Amino acid sequence: MAKNKRHSRYSYSIGFMVLLTLIMIGALALINEATGPRIQQNIEVKNQEKVLEAANLLPENGTDQEIQSLFSNSFKILTWNETTLYQLEPSIFVVPVSGSGLWGSIHGYIGINFSQDFLLGLSFVSHSETPGLGGRIEEAEFLDQFDNLILPTQPDYLIYRPKPGGNVDAISGATGTSNAVRNFLNTDLTRYYDAYARGDFE
Amino acid sequence: MKQTKTIFMEGLWGNNPIARQILGICSALAVTNLMKNSLVMGLGLIFVTAFSELTVSLIRQWTPKHIRMMVQVLIISAYVILVDIFLKAYFPDISTALGPYVGLIITNCIIMGRCEAFAQANPPHIAFIDGIAMGTGYTLVLLTIAFVRELLGFGTLFGIQVMGESWVSWSIMIMPPGAFFMLGILIWILHTFKEKNQEVAK
């Protein structure tokens, strides 16, 4: 009985909760600290994978080491207006693209051959579109359309079929996401083409 | 020993969390399109349920009754974060595939339910065994659903092609409705079996 009385005191409850929280947080903080570098490395490899995918160079089932060495052998890293660019050849670049989708911002990479006006490929790093609908932008069926896609010589570069001059297909059932992706890709492509034409990347 | 067997029979069959208690349905619908994801989800849940029950049971005599829910949530979330960190560090691909569902293990009613209903009233080693049994029951149902969905939806098992070249994938099985159909059919079959057994026993 005495024990129960002690338990029902506020000070005991608060003390108990504080102590338990400290123990749990302490343990988690230690584990987080221990695995931090590994997680950071995983994120880096994932990013390199996406850059390689946008350049259409990603090997199938490559190990982390293969991806890292392929990445560092292939690309020269440049900075332009605080944007990181990955140069494959003098006129071939992988550049970051981003914009707002239907639910949140979308980030990705696109590979561009500036001298011959065609795309190498497209990859998305992160998005929060509806799984199964807009989320399908990260599926091969959508992304593969951009591999070696020849672009018009001036904006708009990307047009959805069946509009005249259309060069890619949208995702049916996900008009919002499809339009958002086309719009920010066109904006970014225009920006990068202009910058390249001005000689900013040299 | 006999008690262990009884607890396992309860978890796997008599009181199976999904089939009998209809708990943990969201994750059962969400991750069962691939067997690999289901297995990892199941292992994560076994780990979290077992250790949460163990911890709750260990400190049950010192836990003030009126804040026990808070204490349980704190313990469960600590273990869930642990699983999340572990997957991010060592299995980044699976971590991406499972996405928010790892974090959502905490909302899985099975864990909270077992902590409240079982671990509060039983000694630690029995609570731990109950956690493993309930988690295993959950995992088996997930794997059964995933087996059918992956086989019909992709023609593969654990990513290995088992159906012939001419196999036409059933897209509906990969989509959310496929999970609803499968779960419904499975619960129906299990209930029919159970009722038959009871009639025979009478």
Side-chain angles (χ1 to χ4, degrees):
Chain A
M1 215 41 222
K3 202 168 147 199
N4 281 344
K5 229 178 206 169
R6 181 162 60 88
H7 280 192
S8 61
R9 258 196 243 135
Y10 281 126
S11 55
Y12 178 82
S13 304
I14 294 171
F16 183 89
M17 207 59 205
V18 168
L19 186 71
L20 191 66
T21 312
L22 284 180
I23 296 173
M24 292 294 181
I25 291 178
L28 284 180
L30 277 180
I31 293 163
N32 192 32
E33 205 55 37
T35 51
R38 220 197 138 87
I39 294 176
Q40 203 52 43
Q41 197 204 337
N42 287 339
I43 295 172
E44 252 169 57
V45 172
K46 188 91 212 158
N47 193 49
Q48 295 179 346
E49 226 180 270
K50 291 296 176 184
V51 174
L52 285 168
E53 193 188 330
N56 216 350
L57 288 174
L58 188 66
E60 241 177 83
N61 301 321
T63 62
D64 285 4
Q65 280 82 11
E66 279 169 27
I67 286 167
Q68 278 174 311
S69 68
L70 183 63
F71 179 85
S72 48
N73 291 336
S74 311
F75 295 105
K76 209 173 99 188
I77 297 173
L78 304 176
T79 313
W80 169 74
N81 277 357
E82 293 172 12
T83 313
T84 314
L85 309 174
Y86 304 90
Q87 186 176 34
L88 191 64
E89 275 172 43
S91 66
I92 304 180
F93 287 82
V94 173
V95 294
V97 287
S98 65
S100 48
L102 188 64
W103 300 118
S105 51
I106 304 176
H107 296 273
Y109 289 105
I110 195 162
I112 311 172
N113 184 336
F114 287 106
S115 63
Q116 288 172 37
D117 283 337
F118 73 87
L119 298 179
L120 277 69
L122 175 69
S123 66
F124 289 113
V125 179
S126 67
H127 70 82
S128 40
E129 302 309 295
T130 324
L133 290 171
R136 291 174 61 202
I137 53 171
E138 64 176 4
E139 285 178 12
E141 206 182 318
F142 183 74
L143 293 176
D144 285 353
Q145 301 185 91
F146 295 86
D147 293 355
N148 304 319
L149 179 74
I150 295 162
L151 295 181
T153 48
Q154 59 208 16
D156 295 328
Y157 294 107
L158 299 172
I159 299 163
Y160 286 133
R161 282 186 285 256
K163 245 180 141 181
N167 46 13
V168 280
D169 286 321
I171 297 170
S172 51
T175 312
T177 304
S178 301
N179 286 345
V181 166
R182 177 196 58 198
N183 293 346
F184 77 72
L185 285 180
N186 274 335
T187 314
D188 279 342
L189 281 173
T190 312
R191 199 159 58 89
Y192 287 120
Y193 268 108
D194 289 350
Y196 184 82
R198 282 199 305 270
D200 282 4
F201 292 173
E202 273 147 41
Chain B
M1 206 48 226
K2 195 161 174 262
Q3 200 177 6
T4 311
K5 208 184 151 198
T6 323
I7 293 174
F8 261 95
M9 277 316 287
E10 278 289 290
L12 298 188
W13 177 250
N15 213 356
N16 185 296
I18 296 185
R20 305 296 304 182
Q21 303 178 42
I22 322 285
L23 292 177
I25 297 296
C26 339
S27 51
L29 296 173
V31 300
T32 49
N33 56 357
L34 289 174
M35 287 195 83
K36 197 171 84 173
N37 293 351
S38 308
L39 186 66
V40 175
M41 188 73 183
L43 291 178
L45 193 101
I46 293 175
F47 174 84
V48 174
T49 320
F51 280 93
S52 303
E53 281 205 50
L54 178 70
T55 318
V56 168
S57 177
L58 273 176
I59 61 169
R60 73 185 191 284
Q61 270 146 9
W62 296 280
T63 313
K65 286 284 164 286
H66 56 284
I67 59 161
R68 65 180 194 285
M69 292 277 195
M70 249 160 87
V71 172
Q72 287 164 7
V73 173
L74 182 71
I75 293 168
I76 298 168
S77 54
Y79 284 115
V80 170
I81 295 171
L82 193 68
V83 172
D84 197 28
I85 293 177
F86 177 77
L87 286 181
K88 270 193 191 133
Y90 298 100
F91 300 98
D93 289 340
I94 292 178
S95 177
T96 332
L98 290 178
Y101 293 108
V102 180
L104 286 176
I105 292 180
I106 189 176
T107 63
N108 198 314
C109 323
I110 299 169
I111 310 170
M112 190 89 185
R114 292 320 285 179
C115 282
E116 176 69 15
F118 199 89
Q120 281 291 349
N122 285 285
H125 63 284
I126 296 181
F128 186 74
I129 293 168
D130 181 70
I132 295 180
M134 282 295 157
T136 313
Y138 170 83
T139 312
L140 285 182
V141 174
L142 246 64
L143 284 176
T144 314
I145 299 174
F147 176 83
V148 180
R149 287 185 70 192
E150 189 177 342
L151 188 67
L152 298 180
F154 291 102
T156 60
L157 288 177
F158 282 108
I160 300 158
Q161 191 76 33
V162 286
M163 295 300 212
E165 280 292 309
S166 59
W167 175 254
V168 179
S169 296
W170 299 17
S171 316
I172 187 139
M173 276 298 166
I174 318 167
M175 295 195 297
F180 274 105
F181 290 135
M182 276 309 302
L183 189 66
I185 293 171
L186 194 71
I187 291 177
W188 174 29
I189 294 173
L190 290 178
H191 272 247
T192 316
F193 261 111
K194 178 126 181 152
E195 273 162 29
K196 274 220 180 105
N197 281 358
Q198 275 168 343
E199 270 166 35
V200 172
K202 270 177 200 163

